[in-house]
Amino acid sequence: VQSAPVAGGTDVWLESECATSIGSQWLSLSDGAASNGQYLMTNTGNNTSAAPTDPNLLLQFTFEVSEAGSYLVFARV
């Protein structure tokens, strides 16, 4: 499931399955107990301890904030 860009204040909360671009090495699985009824999982063997460079391994999010400034981005994976 891909969603439109998020617009809002200074706090933005994103779920992995709502990424605007999901690389082909991700599996989208259904689970009624998961947020939005879905979750993502990588195909076997695609885990890495370094930042991936292959676009097929990436998730991309688009969002806007209402105030200019420096922001910190946290990811819980």
Side-chain angles (χ1 to χ4, degrees):
V1 174
Q2 295 182 350
S3 62
V6 176
T10 57
D11 290 340
V12 178
W13 295 83
L14 303 164
E15 297 282 343
S16 60
E17 66 276 4
C18 296
T20 53
S21 176
I22 299 173
S24 64
Q25 293 301 310
W26 289 89
L27 301 173
S28 180
L29 303 167
S30 297
D31 184 337
S35 178
N36 288 332
Q38 293 181 313
Y39 66 98
L40 296 181
M41 188 169 98
T42 59
N43 286 315
T44 302
N46 285 322
N47 56 326
T48 177
S49 60
T53 56
D54 182 347
N56 293 312
L57 297 173
L58 302 178
L59 300 177
Q60 180 179 350
F61 298 91
T62 302
F63 60 91
E64 297 175 7
V65 292
S66 60
E67 297 178 25
S70 296
Y71 290 88
L72 299 174
V73 177
F74 296 94
R76 188 172 86 177
V77 293

